[in-house]
Amino acid sequence: DIHSKNIPNTSVWGFFEAKDKTLWIGTDVGLFRRLPHSDIFEQIAVPGILDQKIMAIAESPDGHLWLSNTHGLIRFHVPTNQI
């Protein structure tokens, strides 16, 4: 995981604010989050995907994130960082 006040110099494809107020950011180099009341960005490893580019982010009622990339749609379980 990368902890930084900045996201690396890369293209940003999508932003999403989850119901818990976490800000999720999809970029060319992966998924990042900024926790509420924090100015630190953390890169989140999404295991098992072929392309780390995250183009869009949504949240299901049960709290899972749905991520899209060039290979399709990914259901991501946030507490365990598993797909």
Side-chain angles (χ1 to χ4, degrees):
D1 291 345
I2 297 173
H3 299 276
S4 174
K5 289 194 180 245
N6 299 309
I7 293 175
N9 187 14
T10 187
S11 295
V12 172
W13 289 93
F15 291 93
F16 180 77
E17 185 178 51
K19 59 186 168 192
D20 69 357
K21 302 299 182 195
T22 298
L23 179 63
W24 294 92
I25 302 110
T27 74
D28 275 341
V29 296
L31 181 65
F32 290 80
R33 73 175 166 196
R34 183 180 60 83
L35 297 174
H37 312 294
S38 171
D39 60 354
I40 303 294
F41 290 92
E42 176 183 23
Q43 187 170 12
I44 305 299
V46 181
I49 63 173
L50 300 174
D51 182 359
Q52 289 297 314
K53 178 191 270 187
I54 303 296
M55 299 167 62
I57 306 162
E59 184 178 27
S60 62
D62 64 2
H64 287 87
L65 290 183
W66 286 91
L67 313 172
S68 71
N69 72 4
T70 56
H71 294 280
L73 195 59
I74 303 142
R75 183 175 179 247
F76 184 66
H77 186 244
V78 176
T80 62
N81 283 2
Q82 297 295 314
I83 58 173

